[in-house]
């Protein structure tokens, strides 16, 4: 065992130019672990809350109070703890903040600390993080299948398109390298189509194209065309994946599709999405209904759960209890794993195991506000989660995660 000697937090900046929390955990033997908190924009109401200072300075986004919480109470509580006992370290953090959403310490303070402890333990072993995760959780490591955004919409692109993520997956590729090649071809083909039609507004929050479509379905048609131009047959090696992020435009059984100027009830949403599942090779769909529309999620899963992956993100917020409730109710068949939604590594692992215990899928995911932190590439690989969602195929805060998988592949 090597004890934690020092914990220090510093302010760094994320991909949206906003302040965030970086934590250094130094062990007694000088070994260092470091991690940075990401930040969401389309957040579930029950996820751990980031502590922001508010007020006028830095548009209220500063994180000084979160930094103070790491440098003060968290550092004091963890000093002397065995870095390799992640559960005990996380429990010590949780004991400082019994609030359900970690409002006291801030989820940004807890997640950066918890991940930095994990990094320190791996470095102390010494072994790569993915290997450390596999060996300490008893999982079989494997490189994940990427889920990569081609068009960004919703809260990530000025709400020009209602649906948040139009993505592809390449389950038919023979290796990770080939996934990258095919994705690159589809990404640029999609951009060419938008440019030629005068429908390109720019680049969205996660690096995908920011389109000016006339309907949500135009995005699907354009994605199909891009896959074909890339030399692929949609539904063969390349399939489509959607994050509807329905809580962003719906709730209480009422959905407002601004782009198409129409309003749907829960059944109407299910019919519309069911029609898309018929017409397009969609293999995965995230948050098809709003987080408070549990009857809708149950009905959607009853009708389509045997042929498509249905992921709970805003609905399940990486919470093991919510996953178990959804399993009993028959809502969804997969969960997104975002460590900062839970707030600690241990709680995220509990959610992962709860998913796996019932044969659910688990997709490790980044946030829309990201940094150079590559923890999730290692977590996805070490857990053998099977899938990794990072955003698009441009911008270094995204590419560093894909590139890290390539390095792990060579290890
Ligand atoms: P967020 O969204 O990181 O902006 O909350 C990502 C997602 O919905 O998957
Ligand atoms: Zn989502």
């Amino acid at each position: 065992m090597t004890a934690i000697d020092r914990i220090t937090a510093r302010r760094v900046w994320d991909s949206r130019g906003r302040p965030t929390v970086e934590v250094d955990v130094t062990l007694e033997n000088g070994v260092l672990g470091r991690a940075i908190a990401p930040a969401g924009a389309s957040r579930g109401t029950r996820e751990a809350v980031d502590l922001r200072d508010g007020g006028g300075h830095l548009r209220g986004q500063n994180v000084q109070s979160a930094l103070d919480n790491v440098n003060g109470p968290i550092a004091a509580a963890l000093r002397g703890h065995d870095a390799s006992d992640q559960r005990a370290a996380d429990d010590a953090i949780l004991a400082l903040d019994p609030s359900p959403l970690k409002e006291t310490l801030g989820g940004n303070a807890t997640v950066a600390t918890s991940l930095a402890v994990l990094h320190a333990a791996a470095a102390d072993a010494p072994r790569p993080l993915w290997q450390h995760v596999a060996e300490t959780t008893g999982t079989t490591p494997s490189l994940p299948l990427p889920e990569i955004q081609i068009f960004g919409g919703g809260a990530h692109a000025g709400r020009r398109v209602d649906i948040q993520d139009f993505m592809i997956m390449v389950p038919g590729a023979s290796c990770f390298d080939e996934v990258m090649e095919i994705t690159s071809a589809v990404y640029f083909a999609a951009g060419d189509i938008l440019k030629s039609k005068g429908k390109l507004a720019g680049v969205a929050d996660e690096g995908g194209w920011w389109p000016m479509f006339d309907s949500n379905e135009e995005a699907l048609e354009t994605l199909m065309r891009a896959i074909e131009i890339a030399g692929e047959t949609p539904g063969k090696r390349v399939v489509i994946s959607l994050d509807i992020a329905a809580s962003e435009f719906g709730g209480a059984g009422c959905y407002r599709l601004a782009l198409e100027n129409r309003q749907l009830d829960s059944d109407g949403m299910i019919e519309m999405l069911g029609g898309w599942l018929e017409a397009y090779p969609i293999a995965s769909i995230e948050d098809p209904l709003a987080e408070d529309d549990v009857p809708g999620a149950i009905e959607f899963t009853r009708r389509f759960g045997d042929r498509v992956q249905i992921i709970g993100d805003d609905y399940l917020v990486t919470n093991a209890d919510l996953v178990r409730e959804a399993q009993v109710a028959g809502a969804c068949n997969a969960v997104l794993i975002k460590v900062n939604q839970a707030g600690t590594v241990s709680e995220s692992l509990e959610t992962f195991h709860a998913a796996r215990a019932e044969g659910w899928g688990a997709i490790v995911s980044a946030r829309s506000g990201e940094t150079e932190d590559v923890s999730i590439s290692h977590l996805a690989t070490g857990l053998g989660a099977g899938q990794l969602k990072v955003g698009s195929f441009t911008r270094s805060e995204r590419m560093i995660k894909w590139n890290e998988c390539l390095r792990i592949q060579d290890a």
Side-chain angles (χ1 to χ4, degrees):
M1 99 150 225
T2 310
I4 294 170
D5 178 38
R6 265 189 335 277
I7 298 187
T8 52
R10 75 174 57 79
R11 184 178 70 183
V12 295
W13 302 83
D14 74 11
S15 56
R16 281 192 274 252
R18 291 193 186 149
T20 188
V21 178
E22 175 172 272
V23 172
D24 286 358
V25 169
T26 311
L27 306 186
E28 272 176 345
N29 56 6
V31 164
L32 172 75
R34 174 175 291 161
I36 312 176
S42 75
R43 302 164 50 85
T45 53
R46 290 181 288 187
E47 63 176 89
V49 169
D50 284 349
L51 202 55
R52 305 268 173 190
D53 298 347
H57 184 49
L58 294 173
R59 297 170 175 249
Q61 298 293 322
N62 205 16
V63 291
Q64 189 56 49
S65 42
L67 299 175
D68 292 344
N69 288 341
V70 177
N71 290 327
I74 294 178
L78 292 189
R79 192 166 301 125
H81 263 271
D82 174 8
S84 66
D85 191 344
Q86 185 73 35
R87 182 77 248 189
D90 287 337
D91 284 346
I93 296 172
L94 295 176
L96 296 172
D97 188 353
S99 69
L101 303 183
K102 300 182 173 59
E103 297 100 324
T104 311
L105 293 175
N108 42 359
T110 64
V111 75
T113 308
S114 182
L115 280 167
V117 169
L118 185 71
H119 277 275
D124 189 40
R127 55 192 170 202
L129 189 65
W130 64 269
Q131 200 180 348
H132 179 75
V133 168
E135 288 184 21
T136 52
T137 57
T139 43
T140 308
S142 63
L143 277 177
L145 178 66
E147 203 185 345
I148 304 186
Q149 183 194 66
I150 305 298
F151 302 125
H156 299 159
R159 297 177 201 277
R160 185 63 186 78
V161 178
D162 301 296
I163 310 305
Q164 183 177 285
D165 290 311
F166 295 86
M167 299 170 285
I168 59 163
M169 299 195 289
V170 194
S174 58
C175 62
F176 203 92
D177 263 316
E178 196 172 44
V179 174
M180 300 289 101
E181 280 205 7
I182 293 171
T183 303
S184 172
V186 174
Y187 180 80
F188 287 110
D192 288 345
I193 297 173
L194 291 182
K195 278 177 221 154
S196 70
K197 290 186 171 171
K199 291 193 168 186
L200 181 61
V203 170
D205 250 7
E206 298 190 358
W209 302 114
W210 177 337
M212 296 187 288
F213 289 131
D214 298 321
S215 70
N216 292 292
E217 212 167 338
E218 191 185 350
L220 285 164
E221 282 156 13
T222 309
L223 190 49
M224 295 285 281
R225 185 79 198 107
I227 294 168
E228 285 163 2
I229 291 171
E232 299 290 327
T233 306
K236 293 238 161 156
R237 293 201 298 179
V238 183
V239 294
I240 293 175
S241 170
L242 300 177
D243 182 359
I244 308 297
S247 303
E248 289 294 314
F249 59 87
C254 175
Y255 297 88
R256 288 166 301 277
L257 294 171
L259 179 57
E260 297 161 27
N261 197 19
R262 61 182 175 137
Q263 203 153 306
L264 298 172
D265 62 9
S266 193
D267 287 342
M269 267 300 275
I270 293 170
E271 282 305 318
M272 181 189 78
L273 297 175
W276 291 359
L277 295 180
E278 285 293 329
Y280 305 99
I282 297 168
S284 180
I285 188 158
E286 185 176 321
D287 286 337
L289 285 308
E291 60 172 90
D292 65 358
D293 189 358
V294 179
I298 294 170
E299 176 60 11
F300 189 81
T301 307
R302 188 187 67 75
R303 287 182 54 183
F304 307 113
D306 56 349
R307 60 170 149 130
V308 65
Q309 175 172 267
I310 304 169
I311 307 172
D313 169 22
D314 297 339
Y315 169 40
L316 299 174
V317 293
T318 317
N319 180 301
D321 289 336
L322 293 178
V323 165
R324 285 187 280 259
E325 270 175 36
Q327 287 168 338
V328 170
C332 299
N333 55 29
V335 61
L336 215 64
I337 302 285
K338 291 169 164 169
V339 184
N340 82 323
Q341 279 183 329
T344 62
V345 170
S346 298
E347 289 165 287
S348 307
L349 293 181
E350 192 192 334
T351 306
F352 173 78
H353 290 303
R356 273 295 156 84
E358 294 298 319
W360 272 33
I363 301 88
V364 176
S365 172
R367 301 308 301 249
S368 50
E370 271 294 335
T371 67
E372 64 271 33
D373 188 291
V374 292
S375 305
I376 59 169
S377 305
H378 288 264
L379 278 175
T381 304
L383 291 173
Q387 293 170 71
L388 177 61
K389 181 187 182 201
V390 163
S392 185
F393 203 68
T394 57
R395 309 199 349 178
S396 290
E397 84 278 5
R398 312 287 149 193
M399 303 315 292
I400 196 168
K401 272 77 157 175
W402 307 130
N403 289 341
E404 187 72 0
C405 288
L406 292 167
R407 293 184 195 102
I408 294 171
Q409 173 182 257
D410 285 346

